[in-house]
Amino acid sequence: MNSLTVVFNALPAILAGSFVTIGNVTASLAMGLVLGVPLAVGQVYGGPWLRRLVALYVWFFRGVPILVLLFLCYGLFISLGLPADPFLICCLVLGCTSTAYQSQIFRGAIESLPQGQLKAARALGMHDFTGIRCIVLPQALRLSIPGWANEFSILLKDSAICYVLGTQDIMARTSFVAARTHEHLALYAAAGLIYFVLTLVVLKLLRRLEDKVHVPGYSTGTGMEGMGAG
């Protein structure tokens, strides 16, 4: 049995694992978006203690390797007697890590906006929360799309390490077939191609979103033209 035959026979199983990978990345990105925006707002507009807490959170999850976090979270679940579902643990760890990175993407976008906009909102009688929600965040989220796209490509590649916990994703299925057939080169090349295609497709979609929400003459001047798969 040659390498192409092995890859062809294993491709349906590996592609089935891509749904697990996509689900993991989607859940992690969504968690990072929902939690990252409030952390960014707190770091920019919050008091000293809140800023320190956010900075500590970001420092921890950006400083500890994902593999270590996966084993820490898995051990914590076991110690507390909770069901140690590999998919859930991977979503939590990648989501917490993505929250740290996304918060800094949004923080940079917020700080790039003219500071007078929130003062103008106050002058119009708006509460700070209303001004941030209705004026600051819509602009900041628009400017964050290139950085958010880069975070997606990084998170997709980081998700490959989740197979160490037994998730049935692309890497886990590829590793299983490779161990049985010993066609490591061809199979891992096929897995790499799947990751590349997923990254390319999503970046193209995000580029269209960026073009759709782009306001002529008002941007950071950094688009996604030079953004590749990494």
Side-chain angles (χ1 to χ4, degrees):
M1 185 179 295
N2 58 40
S3 300
L4 290 178
T5 303
V6 172
V7 171
F8 181 79
N9 292 335
L11 197 57
I14 297 175
L15 288 175
S18 65
F19 292 102
V20 178
T21 296
I22 293 172
N24 191 348
V25 174
T26 301
S28 302
L29 276 175
M31 178 178 172
L33 177 63
V34 172
L35 299 180
V37 172
L39 289 185
V41 172
Q43 196 167 16
V44 176
Y45 299 109
W49 281 105
L50 180 58
R51 294 182 183 182
R52 291 191 184 98
L53 287 175
V54 174
L56 179 62
Y57 176 91
V58 172
W59 170 80
F60 177 79
F61 282 99
R62 291 176 69 179
V64 180
I66 292 179
L67 182 60
V68 176
L69 291 173
L70 286 172
F71 287 133
L72 283 174
C73 188
Y74 185 83
L76 180 62
F77 271 58
I78 296 297
S79 299
L80 296 177
L82 300 175
D85 180 67
F87 182 81
L88 175 60
I89 292 174
C90 291
C91 288
L92 285 175
V93 170
L94 291 180
C96 289
T97 304
S98 184
T99 296
Y101 282 97
Q102 288 193 54
S103 69
Q104 298 311 290
I105 294 173
F106 300 135
R107 179 186 63 82
I110 292 173
E111 292 180 342
S112 71
L113 298 174
Q115 296 183 359
Q117 294 198 14
L118 188 57
K119 295 180 180 179
R122 292 168 179 163
L124 293 174
M126 288 187 180
H127 191 272
D128 282 358
F129 176 79
T130 304
I132 293 171
R133 178 173 59 87
C134 298
I135 297 177
V136 175
L137 285 183
Q139 300 177 74
L141 292 175
R142 183 190 301 120
L143 299 178
S144 299
I145 293 176
W148 199 76
N150 191 53
E151 170 62 13
F152 162 80
S153 64
I154 294 173
L155 192 60
L156 177 61
K157 290 182 290 186
D158 287 344
S159 69
I161 203 172
C162 291
Y163 87 98
V164 298
L165 292 187
T167 57
Q168 294 301 307
D169 59 359
I170 296 173
M171 277 299 298
R173 292 170 182 261
T174 302
S175 178
F176 176 76
V177 177
R180 295 185 61 185
T181 62
H182 304 289
E183 292 289 349
H184 296 82
L185 179 60
L187 288 167
Y188 285 119
L193 182 61
I194 294 174
Y195 280 109
F196 177 80
V197 171
L198 288 175
T199 302
L200 184 64
V201 169
V202 175
L203 288 183
K204 289 290 186 182
L205 293 175
L206 289 174
R207 176 58 193 272
R208 290 187 179 182
L209 176 62
E210 183 188 12
D211 292 339
K212 186 175 182 180
V213 302
H214 174 69
V215 177
Y218 187 80
S219 68
T220 58
T222 57
M224 294 167 60
E225 292 86 348
M227 187 176 298

